Amino acid sequence: MSTDPALLLMQWLSPAYPVGAFAYSHGLEYAVAEAQVGTGEALSDWLRGLLTHGGGQSDAVLLAAAYRAQGQADLTEIDQLARAFCPSAERLRETDLQGAAFCQTTAAIWSDLWDGDLPGLTYPVALGYAARQHDIPLELTLQMYLHAFVSNLIAAGQRLLSLGQLEAQRRLSALAPQISATAATAAAGTLDDLHGACFAADIASMRHETQYSRIFRS
């Protein structure tokens, strides 16, 4: 029996899948410490920026490119671009370590799809490549990846702010149209659409590296 694509993506993107996403805030911890993000509304604005001009948008473009990669050389080039595009050392570790963990677990469970180990790839590149091997629709993969990306940062916001569970879920629900729009744009685009203009988030991720007190790895 083949696994339903939606169920497979839910497994890969579940908090139970051992990639350690809960340990990263994507620079949000510094933004909260410096009062750049202090309310639920500000958190929504921060996340909307990431989806339109920041890490959410660029991850989606890279995932789509990896999904369409023509051979190992093409995939390697996309992965190198993903690493070069990281604006800080912590953001590079975030995508590198999550990607490596995803590759290790996925290759061990679905070993019939790869000749040997799944190569260590950055997180969105690894997910795009694995989704293609399982013939999972690209736009569904993008939507669920971005939903997991936003969900993880809202969960981080709950730990960093006075944000209750009900408000957190309302914020997530309100961002659904932007998640869908970002996924659709990435699905229709190419690597020429890769860009980043979310400077506050990028600077926050750089300054988080030397933050005195912190609970997240980025």
Side-chain angles (χ1 to χ4, degrees), residues 9 12-13 63 67 127-128 131-132 136-146:
L9 280 173
W12 287 351
L13 296 168
L63 189 159
Y67 187 94
L127 192 71
R132 178 61 182 271
I136 301 173
L138 174 58
E139 192 151 348
L140 176 64
T141 304
L142 285 164
Q143 288 174 342
M144 294 189 68
Y145 175 86
L146 290 170

Side-chain angles (χ1 to χ4, degrees), residues 140-197:
L140 176 64
T141 304
L142 285 164
Q143 288 174 342
M144 294 189 68
Y145 175 86
L146 290 170
H147 187 275
F149 173 82
V150 172
S151 294
N152 185 66
L153 293 183
I154 286 180
Q158 287 182 268
R159 283 174 274 175
L160 295 166
L161 299 165
S162 297
L163 192 68
Q165 293 179 342
L166 182 58
E167 182 180 1
Q169 291 305 308
R170 283 175 173 159
R171 297 288 170 187
L172 179 59
S173 179
L175 286 166
Q178 187 58 62
I179 289 172
S180 294
T182 300
T185 299
T190 69
L191 283 175
D192 290 338
D193 300 304
L194 189 64
H195 72 273

Side-chain angles (χ1 to χ4, degrees), residues 87-132:
S88 69
E90 283 193 348
R91 290 272 288 277
L92 176 57
R93 283 196 295 271
E94 179 179 319
T95 192
D96 178 51
L97 293 176
Q98 287 191 73
F102 177 86
C103 288
Q104 182 179 15
T105 302
T106 306
I109 298 173
W110 293 277
S111 57
D112 57 308
L113 289 178
W114 291 278
D115 182 14
D117 292 335
L118 179 60
L121 300 166
T122 51
Y123 191 34
V125 174
L127 192 71
Y129 177 64
R132 178 61 182 271

Side-chain angles (χ1 to χ4, degrees), residues 24 26-27 59 62 78-100 121-124 202 205-206 209 217-218:
Y24 302 95
H26 210 71
D59 274 6
L62 291 162
I78 295 166
D79 188 65
Q80 290 173 345
L81 179 60
R83 295 173 190 276
F85 201 73
C86 292
S88 69
E90 283 193 348
R91 290 272 288 277
L92 176 57
R93 283 196 295 271
E94 179 179 319
T95 192
D96 178 51
L97 293 176
Q98 287 191 73
L121 300 166
T122 51
Y123 191 34
D202 293 344
S205 72
M206 297 174 194
E209 296 172 17
R217 300 182 69 176
S218 70

